[in-house]
Amino acid sequence: MLPPDFLAADLWGLSVAAWLTAAVAALMVGGLIHGKVGADLVLLSGLLALLLAGILSPSDALRGFANPGVATVGLLYVVAAGLRETGAVDRLTAPLLGRPRTSMGAVARLTAPVAVASAFVNNTPIVAMFLPVLSGWARRCHLSPRALFLPLSYAAILGGMCTLIGTSTNLVVAALIDAHRSAPSAADATPLEPLGMFTLAKVGLPIAVAGLGFIWLAHRTLLGAAEQSPDRKDSDPKEYMTALRVEPDSPVAGRTVEQAGLRHLPGLFLARIERPDETIVAVSPQQRLYAGDTLVFVGAVESVVDLQRIKGLTPAADEAAQRLQGPRHQIRLVEAVIAASSDLVGLSIRDAAFRTRYGAVVIAV
């Protein structure tokens, strides 16, 4: 910790503490732009540097974490993760997003529900929750995800301006106003009215409507067309086969193939359904799925990975199923290519001791 007299010393019109703070802030901005280190580590490192230098006291350094606005945003991340992991996001958004055929329809179907939802759930978790849904939905509809990410972000920002809890900035300002009103000196200061749930709506709602209209009309000019050819393949062209079993508690059990969202998958198709007493090939969209069914898919690697997000579908191989039991967020699906010079060439999976050697399970070849 640097001596207080040194920190208070004047240097070119500013104190040493001010110059050090500016230097730390510049390094933090550089770290965020560089992107090689996580934003949380960059910001916490800057906070720690100011704390160790004596510019911030421990109470000042920890005060931000006790802010109700910050705590609220953190809890909303937990809610968003729960909705994503349980598959509730997919079930809630599927009827809203549908299958638009034009760029205008896609942007309108995406931004309207996001703007409404972000007015009542903080906009940052909303964007984090919709990103994985948006990627899969765009591929199914033959749209470019890159032309939809920015409208998603701005729709969440516009919707968040309409209510108190829509954005973390509103929550922080509301907490500061409450602290000001309860301070002993508040009686002599200009009174500030507290922010209610819809205090900002009279200004935020017209801005949100105008902003959404601008996005709908100008997105194609500014961001390019969202449509892409159905024949375009962004993923690896190599075909990949895998079998997934429908678990008893799966939301797809009892639904048809089309209702379960397993039809018109990008770069992927349901080749057959295997049951103990029969095998169904040339699967119809109206074919009903039941618990215990083994679904055999063939397609591109990236599309097979998307199937892992569907709750209740697990790898059908007994060895893989046993190994993959556990929290879904701890499971990683990796594609590996055997080089011509590899010592694995010519060996079976068992002979290669793949699980012992690499700590992984082969679920498809």
Side-chain angles (χ1 to χ4, degrees):
M1 184 177 293
L2 300 176
D5 293 340
F6 174 75
L7 293 175
D10 183 77
L11 182 63
W12 297 317
L14 293 175
S15 64
V16 173
W19 283 111
L20 290 177
T21 302
V24 170
L27 291 175
M28 288 168 56
V29 172
L32 293 173
I33 294 174
H34 192 256
K36 295 296 184 181
V37 182
D40 53 343
L41 293 178
V42 172
L43 297 176
L44 287 176
S45 299
L47 178 65
L48 182 62
L50 295 177
L51 178 64
L52 294 177
I55 298 174
L56 288 178
S57 65
S59 60
D60 290 334
L62 298 175
R63 186 176 301 165
F65 296 102
N67 189 291
V70 176
T72 302
V73 174
L75 292 174
L76 288 173
Y77 269 109
V78 176
V79 174
L83 291 173
R84 183 176 62 251
E85 292 296 331
T86 58
V89 173
D90 295 308
R91 292 195 293 272
L92 291 173
T93 57
L96 292 175
L97 299 179
R99 296 184 64 85
R101 298 182 180 275
T102 64
S103 175
M104 172 74 77
V107 173
R109 280 178 174 268
L110 172 66
T111 55
V114 166
V116 173
S118 64
F120 301 97
V121 179
N122 190 271
N123 54 15
T124 305
I126 281 285
V127 172
M129 185 170 57
F130 265 85
L131 280 177
V133 176
L134 177 59
S135 299
W137 173 67
R139 281 195 295 271
R140 286 193 298 271
C141 298
H142 307 298
L143 302 170
S144 171
R146 290 170 294 183
L148 299 175
F149 286 149
L150 200 58
L152 167 68
S153 177
Y154 277 109
I157 293 173
L158 291 169
M161 295 191 305
C162 298
T163 63
L164 174 63
I165 63 174
T167 174
S168 54
T169 306
N170 295 348
L171 292 170
V172 171
V173 171
L176 293 175
I177 290 177
D178 291 340
H180 173 78
R181 288 169 56 85
S182 60
S185 59
D188 301 329
T190 302
L192 295 176
E193 294 295 327
L195 291 180
M197 180 65 177
F198 297 103
T199 302
L200 303 174
K202 58 185 178 182
V203 176
L205 186 59
I207 294 176
V209 172
L212 290 176
F214 177 78
I215 291 174
W216 296 344
L217 295 175
H219 76 277
R220 194 179 185 95
T221 302
L222 299 177
L223 301 176
E227 300 95 337
Q228 66 182 25
S229 170
D231 298 328
R232 177 180 173 182
K233 294 183 178 180
D234 293 326
S235 57
D236 195 322
K238 298 188 297 297
E239 285 194 341
Y240 190 100
M241 177 180 289
T242 189
L244 300 175
R245 180 180 292 112
V246 179
E247 295 297 315
D249 60 345
S250 173
V252 306
R255 295 186 175 187
T256 65
V257 172
E258 188 167 15
Q259 290 172 344
L262 300 178
R263 182 169 168 79
H264 299 303
L265 297 172
L268 187 72
F269 69 95
L270 178 58
R272 65 182 185 272
I273 300 176
E274 296 181 354
R275 292 173 177 165
D277 55 347
E278 65 174 334
T279 297
I280 303 173
V281 295
V283 181
S284 165
Q286 303 307 317
Q287 176 65 50
R288 197 165 295 277
L289 305 175
Y290 298 100
D293 285 354
T294 299
L295 312 181
V296 180
F297 293 90
V298 176
V301 174
E302 185 177 354
S303 299
V304 174
V305 173
D306 287 338
L307 292 175
Q308 301 298 313
R309 299 194 181 109
I310 301 178
K311 182 176 174 58
L313 294 183
T314 58
D318 292 337
E319 181 184 29
Q322 293 174 5
R323 185 61 181 263
L324 289 175
Q325 289 178 354
R328 290 169 62 88
H329 66 275
Q330 295 181 0
I331 299 173
R332 296 292 181 268
L333 185 63
V334 178
E335 181 198 18
V337 178
I338 305 299
S341 59
S342 173
D343 57 359
L344 299 178
V345 173
L347 298 178
S348 67
I349 295 175
R350 182 184 297 275
D351 294 340
F354 196 89
R355 182 174 62 178
T356 303
R357 189 173 183 178
Y358 298 103
V361 173
V362 177
I363 63 172
V365 177

